[in-house]
Amino acid sequence: MSYPKTGHEVYVSLNLSNTMLNGIGKGTITREEVSADYLKRLFAEYGVIVSAKPEQRALLERVNEVCDLGLEIPESLKLFQLSEERRRLVVINVQGLRRKGGSLLPTYDKEEFDEATFTFVKYYVQGTHYDTLVEENKKLRYALDQEKEWRERTDG
């Protein structure tokens, strides 16, 4: 499966680190669990860039096999930052595999891979901070209430 190059690609990684969030400044990040079918539609619209270490190739191939995502697996790690407005990151959560110090191992055998399950979490960076959105919402609500009062007034 080939996804488009749009300049607004969705990043895919097996982890979330603070360095990915450098440069965001004051903004809002939303988090939601999503399905593989949702990701296929998202990738088809925006494209996708995979950020993974070379030793994670077999794990990503397993994700492609199980979830039919068609991810292009890079030969080397592509670092990125979610510093631009409306950037998306999908973190692949892996359950059922042994870990060392909380980290995935570089290799697993076929039986271990067969036990692995995958879920996906989408993070979305908004350039407007949540507090600013709340204030704007209050102002709009006030203006709406004023308009309703004016329209529903009774001259008596």
Side-chain angles (χ1 to χ4, degrees):
M1 191 175 305
S2 181
Y3 294 113
K5 304 286 186 225
T6 64
H8 299 285
E9 285 83 359
V10 178
Y11 291 105
V12 172
S13 182
L14 289 162
N15 65 357
L16 174 65
S17 70
N18 283 332
T19 58
M20 294 174 183
L21 305 175
N22 286 346
I24 289 177
K26 190 174 182 179
T28 300
I29 300 173
T30 58
R31 177 193 182 280
E32 69 177 309
E33 291 189 26
V34 295
S35 69
D37 288 335
Y38 171 87
L39 291 179
K40 289 177 203 175
R41 292 189 303 273
L42 188 69
F43 298 161
E45 183 174 347
Y46 294 102
V48 62
I49 297 173
V50 177
S51 175
K53 297 175 184 172
E55 60 265 21
Q56 295 169 323
R57 177 181 259 317
L59 184 56
L60 289 170
E61 287 171 348
R62 181 67 179 160
V63 170
N64 276 340
E65 182 182 317
V66 170
C67 303
D68 191 34
L69 289 179
L71 297 173
E72 289 183 21
I73 304 167
E75 295 300 321
S76 61
L77 178 63
K78 294 181 181 179
L79 298 176
F80 65 90
Q81 292 180 330
L82 299 175
S83 59
E84 295 180 35
E85 197 173 321
R86 289 182 284 283
R87 281 295 194 183
R88 294 167 185 85
L89 165 66
V90 172
V91 175
I92 301 171
N93 291 320
V94 183
Q95 294 84 33
L97 291 179
R98 290 180 297 121
R99 296 170 186 261
K100 183 174 183 178
S103 296
L104 293 167
L105 302 176
T107 60
Y108 295 96
D109 59 33
K110 182 181 176 351
E111 290 77 29
E112 288 175 306
F113 271 140
D114 289 344
E115 295 294 318
T117 58
F118 308 101
T119 57
F120 308 96
V121 177
K122 181 183 81 169
Y123 295 87
Y124 180 74
V125 176
Q126 293 173 283
T128 306
H129 190 270
Y130 177 80
D131 295 342
T132 304
L133 293 172
V134 169
E135 285 303 313
E136 287 175 10
N137 193 27
K138 284 180 186 176
K139 289 176 186 174
L140 291 170
R141 171 69 58 197
Y142 177 77
L144 179 62
D145 289 344
Q146 294 298 309
E147 180 71 19
K148 283 173 62 177
E149 277 185 35
W150 173 254
R151 290 178 184 267
E152 296 170 1
R153 75 186 186 286
T154 56
D155 293 331

